[in-house]
Amino acid sequence: MATQLSSGAGKDRFVGSAISRVDGPAKVTGLAKYSGEFAAPDLVHGYVVSSRIARGRITGIDAAQAEAVPGVLKVLTHENRPAVPGQADAYQDMVAPPGAPFRALYDETILFSGQPVALVLAEDFETARYAASLVRVAYDTDTPRTDLDALSGDAYVPPVEREGIKPPPEPWGDARKALEGAEIRVEQSYRLADEHHNPMEPHASTVVVEKDGTYTVYDKIQGVANTQLYLTNVFGLKPEQVRCLNPYLGGGFGSALRPQYQLFLAMLAAQDLNRSVRVTLARDQMWSFTFRSQAVQSIGLGAAKDGALQALRHGAVQGTSTYEDYQEVVVNWSGVLYKCDNVELTYKLVKLDTPTPGDMRAPGAVSGVYAIESAMDELAYATGQDPIALRLVNYTDEDPTEGKPFGSKALKSCFEQGAARFGWDKRDPQVRSMKDGRERVGWGMACGIWESMMQQSSARVALTADGRVEVGNSTGDIGTGTYTILTQIAADGLGVPFEHVTTKLGDTSLPEAPVAGGSWTAASSGTAVMKAARNVAEQVFRLARGLEGSPLANADFERVVFTGGRIQLAEDPARGVALTEVLAATGTDRLEATESAGPDSDFKAQYEAYTHSAVFAEVKVDEELGVVRVTRVVSAIAAGKILNPKTAASQIKGGIVMGIGSALHEESMLDHRLGRFMNRNLGEYHVPVNADIHDIEVIFVDEEDKANPLGVKGLGEIGIVGVAAAIANAVHHATGTRIRALPITLDKLLT
């Protein structure tokens, strides 16, 4: 790849610049439409009736009163729903959580509280919602099994069936024996509560029945290819019969990786009525699927007096549903972060009468890194080491679990720059030693880590006669700034003004790309756009070189640059020609290319790729009231090349806010007698608000990485990882009290 096409160097280059989001104006003015807002003629509205029990069976459904309401068209249940060709293999080949997803209205069996048991269809939403309250469902109820602690004896090692989910590596050394013989030991249990995603936009699907019998589907999804694949597999449709779109997403955080049950119900009803149907879930119904399952973890660290690890044991038990073996990478991070000769990592699941948990921002890492980084802080106190110094003693430049070096790892620079900006050298290591008036002050830190990944992706780039550029593929912009960075890459690739590029996403009529998740979108779709832009650049260059009297007649492609809407010699800018002149002179209306990009197998064979961070947190604790305030956070990130510092910093700040939520606020409360999450609203499920957020500073550490042509590592996940541990460690420094169960709430501190 010629550096001129991707370097971002020069006054008219855009990659690396802090450019505001191109989709910002549409979102703040209300012009952006979401999946539950698209209009369709003769639209039917569906409202879901949810199960009141968590385990048992339906013995009868009386929908007579609901069906008698004027405007109600039908009430669908498991007893009268149309047959569908298949569901069992609905997620085959899907790049997102695969498995055997819940089948709505399948039979009389109740698998979790809030399960959809009926769908009321009416001419308007209000009528459907009212009629749903009139549906009467009788149940034969069994005692729900939702208590992870009580059922821990049933824990099992899950089958390895989730693509991309690494099981714990085989143990090396003898961790048990080494732990017993270690001079200094830390053996503790850590817990992170159940958490729900709670995006602002509710899950909704609008299925539009077109006149030719095809379907246009607007679905809340982080990748429309998943929606299309689900519908074709379940309903026996061909891809050309279903066009799926999601141009904007009002928050997903992983809850929209896989299609949720409102999509199935909307398509089922649309086919049954032969009318367009919209199904939008109520806020409390969004507790009836995907969530971050609590993890009960045990860690044993054995070390010499200087803090060098001699033994590392990390085990985790998580809940899953009765119908899927959902699993995450929870314990592996401990083996990747630190060098140790004796390591044992274990991971087990327990079947519970809940919906299947799901990926929630940095799945597995939020839980596992919280535990290991809390334990490392405890080890720092036990050995009398500064927390950074302890981590440096156990620093590794290779992944011990794979035996391969990291392609890049600038974590030491993260320590140095983050600590300098935070003022870590002024920290008094003694607990309860720092005060500000009536509040105790605590400083804590932790490492963050996330795998740097790339998926197979395609993209199309086109240059039109007026000098404008069109970019597109089917991935989504879930709020991360994908529209903007792809626009930047294409603008640099063809040397055109930023405002001359239009990017379209979230449409299955565009080249296929993976879901937006896992922090792989910039590397995957960005590289595909870069390659497609180069292809178009080569096409227009060939045309320019063939012009009569061309100033580029004898030039090589590697000797030209694309800038200011022109192609010109790098060493002689006067010798060049405008892109519009080339197309006009050759009678060309449009030049187009579609290119694909995927992981570099040679790189993967030699190296491991991870993003790293160092998170520093300051808390102030009112010991009389138990109130904890996070007053400062500094996060130093090593994530390869930063395409857009503005959108990148926004991603990290958003992750930090979510990390504060994990540490101090978020907890989905299960009543085990009912098997139901009780705080299913934003009044009782606490999330951070403006008053909870104070100073946040993000530092991007220079790092060169060759895992992909762009040199990027992704930022969507890393911002949250390690934040909860840094805060918990700061609370201990402030109070001398070690809270090992998140969230850290008033009652835990006061007792």
Coordinates of all heavy atoms in Angstrom, one line a residue, residues 129-180:
R129 N -51.5 -2.1 23.2 CA -51.0 -2.1 24.6 C -52.1 -2.3 25.5 O -52.0 -3.1 26.5 CB -50.3 -0.8 24.9 CG -49.7 -0.8 26.3 CD -48.9 0.5 26.5 NE -49.6 1.7 26.3 CZ -49.1 2.9 26.4 NH1 -47.8 3.1 26.6 NH2 -49.8 4.0 26.1
Y130 N -53.3 -1.6 25.3 CA -54.4 -1.8 26.2 C -55.0 -3.2 26.1 O -55.2 -3.9 27.2 CB -55.5 -0.8 25.9 CG -56.8 -1.1 26.5 CD1 -57.0 -1.0 27.9 CD2 -57.9 -1.5 25.8 CE1 -58.2 -1.3 28.5 CE2 -59.1 -1.8 26.4 CZ -59.2 -1.7 27.8 OH -60.4 -2.0 28.4
A131 N -55.1 -3.7 24.9 CA -55.7 -5.1 24.8 C -54.8 -6.1 25.4 O -55.3 -7.1 25.9 CB -55.9 -5.4 23.3
A132 N -53.5 -5.9 25.3 CA -52.6 -6.9 25.9 C -52.8 -7.0 27.4 O -52.6 -8.1 28.0 CB -51.1 -6.4 25.7
S133 N -53.3 -6.0 28.1 CA -53.6 -6.1 29.5 C -54.8 -6.9 29.8 O -55.0 -7.3 31.0 CB -53.8 -4.7 30.1 OG -55.0 -4.1 29.6
L134 N -55.6 -7.2 28.8 CA -56.8 -8.0 29.0 C -56.6 -9.5 28.7 O -57.5 -10.3 28.9 CB -57.9 -7.5 28.0 CG -58.2 -6.0 28.2 CD1 -59.3 -5.6 27.2 CD2 -58.7 -5.7 29.6
V135 N -55.4 -9.9 28.2 CA -55.1 -11.3 27.9 C -54.9 -12.0 29.2 O -54.0 -11.6 30.1 CB -53.9 -11.5 27.0 CG1 -53.6 -12.9 26.8 CG2 -54.2 -10.8 25.6
R136 N -55.6 -13.1 29.5 CA -55.4 -13.9 30.7 C -54.7 -15.2 30.4 O -55.1 -15.9 29.5 CB -56.8 -14.1 31.3 CG -57.6 -12.9 31.7 CD -57.0 -12.1 32.8 NE -57.7 -10.9 33.1 CZ -57.2 -9.7 32.8 NH1 -56.1 -9.6 32.1 NH2 -57.9 -8.6 33.1
V137 N -53.6 -15.4 31.2 CA -52.9 -16.6 31.0 C -52.8 -17.4 32.3 O -52.5 -16.9 33.4 CB -51.4 -16.3 30.5 CG1 -50.6 -17.6 30.2 CG2 -51.4 -15.4 29.3
A138 N -53.1 -18.7 32.2 CA -53.1 -19.6 33.4 C -51.8 -20.5 33.3 O -51.4 -20.9 32.2 CB -54.3 -20.5 33.4
Y139 N -51.2 -20.7 34.4 CA -49.9 -21.4 34.5 C -50.0 -22.6 35.5 O -50.7 -22.5 36.5 CB -48.8 -20.5 34.9 CG -48.6 -19.3 34.0 CD1 -49.2 -18.0 34.4 CD2 -47.8 -19.3 32.9 CE1 -49.0 -16.9 33.6 CE2 -47.7 -18.2 32.1 CZ -48.2 -17.0 32.5 OH -48.0 -15.9 31.7
D140 N -49.2 -23.6 35.2 CA -48.8 -24.6 36.2 C -47.4 -24.3 36.5 O -46.4 -24.4 35.7 CB -48.9 -26.0 35.5 CG -48.5 -27.1 36.5 OD1 -48.3 -26.8 37.7 OD2 -48.5 -28.3 36.1
T141 N -47.1 -23.8 37.8 CA -45.9 -23.2 38.1 C -44.9 -24.1 38.9 O -45.4 -24.9 39.8 CB -46.1 -22.0 39.0 OG1 -47.0 -21.1 38.4 CG2 -44.8 -21.2 39.3
D142 N -43.7 -24.1 38.4 CA -42.6 -24.9 39.1 C -41.7 -23.9 39.9 O -41.7 -22.7 39.6 CB -41.7 -25.7 38.2 CG -42.5 -26.8 37.5 OD1 -43.5 -27.3 38.1 OD2 -42.1 -27.2 36.4
T143 N -41.0 -24.4 40.9 CA -40.1 -23.5 41.6 C -38.9 -23.1 40.8 O -38.2 -24.0 40.2 CB -39.6 -24.2 42.9 OG1 -40.7 -24.6 43.7 CG2 -38.7 -23.3 43.7
P144 N -38.7 -21.8 40.6 CA -37.6 -21.4 39.7 C -36.2 -21.6 40.3 O -36.1 -21.6 41.6 CB -37.9 -19.9 39.5 CG -38.6 -19.5 40.7 CD -39.5 -20.7 41.1
R145 N -35.3 -21.9 39.5 CA -33.9 -22.1 39.9 C -33.0 -21.0 39.3 O -32.6 -21.0 38.2 CB -33.4 -23.5 39.4 CG -34.1 -24.7 40.0 CD -33.9 -25.9 39.2 NE -32.6 -26.2 38.9 CZ -31.7 -26.9 39.7 NH1 -32.2 -27.4 40.8 NH2 -30.5 -27.1 39.3
T146 N -32.8 -19.9 40.1 CA -32.1 -18.8 39.7 C -31.0 -18.3 40.6 O -30.3 -17.4 40.3 CB -33.1 -17.6 39.5 OG1 -33.7 -17.3 40.7 CG2 -34.1 -17.8 38.4
D147 N -30.8 -19.1 41.7 CA -29.7 -18.7 42.6 C -28.4 -19.4 42.3 O -28.2 -20.6 42.5 CB -30.2 -19.1 44.0 CG -29.3 -18.5 45.1 OD1 -28.1 -18.3 44.9 OD2 -29.8 -18.3 46.3
L148 N -27.5 -18.6 41.7 CA -26.2 -19.1 41.3 C -25.4 -19.7 42.4 O -24.8 -20.8 42.3 CB -25.4 -18.0 40.6 CG -24.0 -18.4 40.1 CD1 -24.2 -19.4 38.9 CD2 -23.3 -17.1 39.6
D149 N -25.4 -19.1 43.6 CA -24.7 -19.7 44.7 C -25.3 -21.0 45.2 O -24.5 -22.0 45.4 CB -24.7 -18.7 45.9 CG -23.9 -17.4 45.6 OD1 -22.8 -17.5 45.0 OD2 -24.5 -16.3 45.8
A150 N -26.6 -21.1 45.3 CA -27.2 -22.3 45.7 C -27.0 -23.4 44.8 O -27.0 -24.6 45.2 CB -28.7 -22.0 46.0
L151 N -26.9 -23.1 43.5 CA -26.7 -24.2 42.5 C -25.3 -24.4 42.0 O -25.1 -25.1 41.0 CB -27.6 -23.8 41.3 CG -29.1 -23.7 41.6 CD1 -29.9 -23.1 40.4 CD2 -29.7 -25.1 41.9
S152 N -24.3 -23.8 42.7 CA -23.0 -23.9 42.3 C -22.4 -25.3 42.2 O -21.5 -25.6 41.4 CB -22.1 -23.0 43.2 OG -22.1 -23.5 44.5
G153 N -23.1 -26.2 43.0 CA -22.7 -27.6 42.9 C -23.0 -28.3 41.6 O -22.5 -29.3 41.3
D154 N -23.9 -27.6 40.8 CA -24.2 -28.2 39.5 C -23.4 -27.6 38.4 O -23.7 -27.8 37.2 CB -25.7 -27.9 39.2 CG -26.7 -28.6 40.2 OD1 -26.3 -29.6 40.8 OD2 -27.8 -28.0 40.4
A155 N -22.4 -26.8 38.7 CA -21.5 -26.2 37.7 C -20.9 -27.2 36.8 O -20.4 -28.3 37.3 CB -20.5 -25.3 38.4
Y156 N -20.7 -26.9 35.5 CA -20.1 -27.8 34.6 C -19.2 -27.0 33.6 O -19.4 -25.8 33.4 CB -21.2 -28.5 33.8 CG -22.1 -27.6 32.9 CD1 -21.8 -27.5 31.6 CD2 -23.2 -26.9 33.5 CE1 -22.6 -26.6 30.8 CE2 -23.9 -26.1 32.7 CZ -23.7 -25.9 31.4 OH -24.4 -25.1 30.6
V157 N -18.3 -27.8 33.1 CA -17.4 -27.2 32.0 C -18.2 -27.1 30.7 O -18.6 -28.2 30.2 CB -16.1 -28.0 31.9 CG1 -15.3 -27.4 30.8 CG2 -15.3 -28.0 33.2
P158 N -18.4 -26.0 30.1 CA -19.2 -25.9 28.9 C -18.5 -26.5 27.7 O -17.3 -26.5 27.6 CB -19.5 -24.4 28.8 CG -18.3 -23.8 29.4 CD -17.9 -24.7 30.5
P159 N -19.3 -27.0 26.8 CA -18.7 -27.5 25.5 C -18.2 -26.3 24.7 O -18.7 -25.2 24.8 CB -19.9 -28.1 24.8 CG -21.1 -27.4 25.3 CD -20.8 -27.1 26.8
V160 N -17.1 -26.5 24.0 CA -16.5 -25.5 23.2 C -17.3 -25.3 21.9 O -17.0 -26.1 21.0 CB -15.0 -25.8 23.0 CG1 -14.4 -24.6 22.2 CG2 -14.3 -26.0 24.3
E161 N -18.2 -24.4 21.8 CA -19.0 -24.3 20.6 C -19.2 -22.9 20.2 O -19.9 -22.6 19.2 CB -20.4 -25.0 20.8 CG -21.2 -24.5 22.0 CD -22.5 -25.2 22.2 OE1 -22.5 -26.4 21.9 OE2 -23.5 -24.6 22.6
R162 N -18.8 -21.9 21.0 CA -18.9 -20.5 20.5 C -17.7 -20.1 19.7 O -16.5 -20.1 20.3 CB -19.0 -19.6 21.7 CG -20.4 -19.6 22.4 CD -20.6 -18.3 23.2 NE -20.6 -17.1 22.4 CZ -20.5 -15.9 22.9 NH1 -20.3 -15.7 24.2 NH2 -20.5 -14.9 22.1
E163 N -17.8 -19.8 18.5 CA -16.7 -19.4 17.6 C -16.1 -18.1 18.2 O -16.7 -17.2 18.5 CB -17.2 -19.1 16.2 CG -16.1 -18.8 15.3 CD -16.6 -18.5 13.9 OE1 -17.8 -18.7 13.6 OE2 -15.8 -18.0 13.0
G164 N -14.8 -18.2 18.3 CA -14.0 -17.0 18.8 C -13.9 -17.0 20.3 O -13.3 -16.1 20.9
I165 N -14.6 -17.9 21.0 CA -14.5 -17.9 22.5 C -13.5 -19.0 22.9 O -13.7 -20.2 22.8 CB -15.9 -18.2 23.1 CG1 -16.9 -17.2 22.7 CG2 -15.8 -18.3 24.6 CD1 -16.6 -15.8 23.2
K166 N -12.4 -18.5 23.4 CA -11.3 -19.4 23.8 C -11.6 -20.0 25.1 O -11.8 -19.3 26.1 CB -10.0 -18.6 23.8 CG -9.5 -18.1 22.5 CD -8.1 -17.3 22.8 CE -7.6 -16.7 21.5 NZ -6.3 -16.0 21.7
P167 N -11.6 -21.3 25.2 CA -11.6 -21.9 26.5 C -10.4 -21.6 27.3 O -9.3 -21.3 26.7 CB -11.8 -23.4 26.2 CG -11.1 -23.6 24.9 CD -11.4 -22.3 24.2
P168 N -10.4 -21.8 28.6 CA -9.1 -21.6 29.4 C -8.0 -22.5 28.9 O -8.3 -23.7 28.5 CB -9.5 -21.9 30.8 CG -11.0 -21.7 30.9 CD -11.5 -22.1 29.5
P169 N -6.8 -22.0 28.8 CA -5.7 -22.9 28.4 C -5.5 -24.0 29.4 O -5.9 -23.9 30.6 CB -4.5 -21.9 28.3 CG -4.9 -20.8 29.3 CD -6.4 -20.7 29.2
E170 N -4.8 -25.0 28.9 CA -4.5 -26.1 29.9 C -3.5 -25.5 30.9 O -2.7 -24.6 30.6 CB -3.8 -27.2 29.1 CG -4.7 -28.0 28.2 CD -5.8 -28.7 28.9 OE1 -5.5 -29.3 30.0 OE2 -6.9 -28.7 28.4
P171 N -3.6 -26.0 32.2 CA -2.7 -25.5 33.2 C -1.3 -25.8 32.9 O -0.9 -26.7 32.1 CB -3.1 -26.3 34.4 CG -4.5 -26.8 34.1 CD -4.5 -27.0 32.7
W172 N -0.4 -24.9 33.3 CA 1.0 -25.2 33.2 C 1.7 -25.0 34.6 O 1.2 -24.3 35.4 CB 1.7 -24.3 32.2 CG 1.7 -22.8 32.4 CD1 2.6 -22.1 33.1 CD2 0.7 -21.9 31.9 NE1 2.3 -20.7 33.0 CE2 1.2 -20.6 32.3 CE3 -0.4 -22.0 31.2 CZ2 0.4 -19.4 32.0 CZ3 -1.1 -20.8 30.9 CH2 -0.7 -19.6 31.3
G173 N 2.7 -25.8 34.8 CA 3.3 -25.9 36.1 C 2.4 -26.6 37.1 O 1.5 -27.4 36.7
D174 N 2.6 -26.3 38.4 CA 1.7 -26.9 39.4 C 1.3 -25.7 40.3 O 1.9 -25.4 41.3 CB 2.5 -27.9 40.2 CG 1.6 -28.7 41.2 OD1 0.5 -28.2 41.6 OD2 1.9 -29.9 41.5
A175 N 0.1 -25.1 40.0 CA -0.3 -23.9 40.7 C -0.7 -24.2 42.1 O -0.4 -23.3 43.0 CB -1.5 -23.2 39.9
R176 N -1.3 -25.3 42.3 CA -1.7 -25.6 43.7 C -0.6 -25.8 44.6 O -0.5 -25.2 45.7 CB -2.6 -26.9 43.7 CG -3.9 -26.7 43.0 CD -4.6 -28.1 42.9 NE -5.9 -28.0 42.1 CZ -7.1 -27.8 42.6 NH1 -7.2 -27.7 44.0 NH2 -8.1 -27.7 41.9
K177 N 0.4 -26.5 44.2 CA 1.6 -26.8 45.0 C 2.4 -25.5 45.2 O 2.9 -25.2 46.3 CB 2.5 -27.8 44.4 CG 3.7 -28.2 45.2 CD 4.5 -29.3 44.5 CE 5.7 -29.7 45.4 NZ 6.5 -30.8 44.7
A178 N 2.6 -24.7 44.1 CA 3.3 -23.5 44.2 C 2.6 -22.5 45.1 O 3.3 -21.7 45.9 CB 3.5 -22.9 42.8
L179 N 1.3 -22.5 45.1 CA 0.5 -21.5 46.0 C 0.7 -21.9 47.5 O 0.9 -21.0 48.3 CB -0.9 -21.6 45.6 CG -1.8 -20.6 46.4 CD1 -1.4 -19.1 46.1 CD2 -3.3 -20.8 46.0
E180 N 0.7 -23.2 47.7 CA 0.9 -23.6 49.1 C 2.3 -23.3 49.6 O 2.4 -23.0 50.8 CB 0.7 -25.2 49.2 CG -0.7 -25.6 49.0 CD -0.9 -27.1 48.9 OE1 0.2 -27.8 49.1 OE2 -2.0 -27.6 48.8

